[in-house]
Amino acid sequence: MTAQPTDGTREREVGRARARKEDAHLITGQTTWTDNISVPGMLHMAVLRSPMAHARIDRVDVEPARQRPGVVAAYSGRDLADGLASMPCVWPVTEDIVMPDHPPVAVDEVRYAGDAVAVVVARDRYAAADALEAVEVDYTPLDPVLDLEDALAEGAPLVHADKGTNKCYVWPLRTGEDYDSVRERADVVVRRRFLQQRLIPNAMEPRAVVVTPIAASGEYTLYSATQIPHIVRILMSMVTGIPEQKLRVIAPDVGGGFGSKLQVYPEEAVALAVARKLGRPVKWTESRSEGYLATHHGRGQIQDVEIAATRDGKLLGLKVDLLADMGAYLMLITPGTPLLGAFMYPAIYKMDAYAFTCTGVFTTRTPTDAYRGAGRPEATFAIERIMDELAAELGMDPLELRRRNWIGHDEFPYTSIAGLTYDSGNYEAATDKALSLFGYDGMRAEQQERLRRDDPVRLGIGVSTYTEMCGIAPSRVLRDLRYAAGGWETASIRMLPTGKVEVVTGTSPHGQGHVTCWSQIAADVLGVPFEDVEVVHGDTRTAPQGMDTYGSRSLVVGGVAVHTAAQKVVEKARRVAAHLLEASENDLEFTDGVFSVKGSPDARRTIQEIAFETFSSHDLPDGMEPTINAEHVVDPDNFSYPHGTHLCAVEIDTETGETRIRSYVCVDDVGRVINPTIVEGQVHGGLAQGIAQALYEEAVYDADGNLVSGTMADYLVPSAMDLPEFTTERTETPATTNPLGVKGVGEAGTIASTPAVVNAIVDALRPLGVTDVPMPCTPERVWRAVRQARAAEGRSAPGLARPEGEAPTTGQAPAPSEEGMA
């Protein structure tokens, strides 16, 4: 046992910048990625995918593949149909939602390029991949459905002909006063269309599955690179018919997720079905290009946004109409993803009316689902962009407009126009700190000087003041939103006889630092060394209960469960200590892991000693079980609401369209910080993804529905060399809805950064007549926006001549086609 100091000088763990415990085995190559797993007799599965976006399947012949060397089996969708149910969607957002069947392997029709058509199983992965070429498939092409507005037109081709419509659902939200009435009394109404391009997740580790059957008992262990092992277990039992108690799911080391692994995928179900048929272990690992087709995509929206205000800048109302691309099928939470943002469009601002409508639309493209931020980045982008547009219309500094409308720090708790109760916040403090670090006034002065001398390199300043709802909960709210699951989380604390501690958590990390942070939380409550705490996670047998990791929920729900379970351990240990010390429980003090009697400091027992005494059970209070282990389930009363201010300065060469981020400053308030180093890493990673959407990334389809940005040669993922240095700071306004005072941080950088960058680009170009540049704001798109704006004004500039043979254009740079947008 490790002795602890008793003089109250022990350094607190919470708030300490600890190096991550989980990193040592990662950086020394001792990882257990799913693809590293190899078991005797293992077979390899490969998936044949449709090269067509929409087609009828006339014939699938897998027999030629079965004749290939090393091949053990091959199956068409029809061969597998009897043993597999439709893939699940757990969020039917309206009563009349259209929910088509989603076979894990297509049987009669393919509905996106990448839809599975057949599987081949061989003794090694290369033989399986090679044998795919031998599968014979006859298709009859059908019209693709790509444009969201065209998909809703009368007589449009149907993604699911049996449903008679491409409209998945219409979900409205109306709060406050009637929006049309409010609009009538407004002095200024600004309306804009913003496009949220499709994004493709790029986790460092591709998806992978290994299934090992135990034939004698009918049991199966499924290893998966997943964020949600507990949810996978439940839903795979439903899809395959394997009893839940016979199915064990393990998420080993998982190399990133960003929402892409918040999913129950067809390949998991198919691997289980194949392992059951053959009675042998089966592995499947996607290639990167395969993942671009078959891993769900993110975003994909048309946002029509209207804001009404008085002449002096007071907001009156906000109206948002979304068309949300569902893709070809509804995956786990596809319909609900855009609705996670429905409550966040009003953001930190006060207003009288809010009208929101989302229409889900089926297309013949890869299904969409959660991508880092899941609905909240889209909402923040829309409100922060329209606030800048309103400020320009009013001739007002964008920060001044925000100040006139945001919720004051003395107004919390505050119920927003969308119906959420924000428990705490201080937008003024975060903004003031960001302005000081950024040098805002000096930057504005330089901007004006460049404008005065007509410098071809323009300076733009972008603002994003945001809040977000995270910590997906509480369960009754999720019920009211028609979500199938709850928002609770569980943790258990096991005090071992030697005084060491095991924390069993229902959260399942994939890079967030749960092992380190949960160790810090438990160590502080129990008064034990940080090094003496182990964290067990990601295995439905050793951690049998949990709701897993997504939506920045792990700390505010799972971490709080750890904290409270540890407090329960202390209270159970107090009873034993009082018995051993022959004192009243009320007379005991507990400091730094030591129980002592008030006024008698020599009468003491460490919590480690109590753990051993409980194990031996030689002298316990009458009626007490021989354990001080404890568990706790948290079902939060509210979401948590981190917030902050992000400022971005860009320099744009108007002759080439090149955009360079010169300065980026963000001040985030994520409540009480458990580990500053981990918070910093989460913010940096989020900034990289948000900036990537603004400047680099886009899933592009051609007119036939083929993904033409299907490799890393075509889909631009920024490296560290493409990103600026970040200045990151924090203010701290503790949450009042949980005992740790914590809020989420995993998605904050992604949510705030995209509008900050795009606002900076438009701010730089607005004097030229540019009011929008569609994302990603590539050099070509920036150059075209400048050229078209100047052409509309009859101006010219070096490098802006019209290419020979191109027709003249006027006005604002056009939005890209829906094919290019999503």
Side-chain angles (χ1 to χ4, degrees), residues 600-616:
S600 303
D602 291 336
R604 58 193 298 277
R605 287 287 193 279
T606 67
I607 197 167
Q608 292 97 330
E609 291 172 328
I610 298 298
F612 187 83
E613 291 288 346
T614 306
F615 163 74
S616 69

Side-chain angles (χ1 to χ4, degrees), residues 31 38 56 86 150 237 252 266 268 398 413 423 434 497 534 563 582 648-649 820:
T31 50
S38 183
R56 186 171 62 247
S86 177
D150 290 348
S237 175
E268 291 165 319
D423 65 304
E534 293 294 324
H563 172 81
E582 299 180 341
C648 177

Side-chain angles (χ1 to χ4, degrees), residues 211-214 218-222 242 246-248 272 275-276:
V211 177
T212 60
I214 304 174
E219 295 180 273
Y220 299 84
T221 298
L222 186 153
I242 297 170
K246 297 289 189 180
L247 182 58
R248 177 185 185 184
L272 273 167
R276 178 168 55 185

Side-chain angles (χ1 to χ4, degrees), residues 10 26 34 196 215 281 306 403 446 491 528 559 665 700:
R10 177 182 179 273
L26 296 175
T34 302
Q196 288 282 328
E306 183 177 285
R403 281 195 180 97
E446 180 185 343
V528 301
V665 170
V700 179

Side-chain angles (χ1 to χ4, degrees), residues 39 59 63 113 153 205 315 328 368 372 379 382-383 412 430 527 568 570 575 713 736 778 801:
V39 295
R59 182 179 70 95
E63 188 58 34
E205 178 203 19
L315 298 186
T368 60
R372 194 171 189 171
I383 184 63
F412 290 95
K568 287 184 175 181
V570 172
R575 184 180 174 192
T736 63
T778 61

Side-chain angles (χ1 to χ4, degrees), residues 1-5 527 529 532 592 604 606 608:
M1 302 179 202
T2 307
Q4 289 291 291
D532 284 0
D592 292 336
R604 58 193 298 277
T606 67
Q608 292 97 330

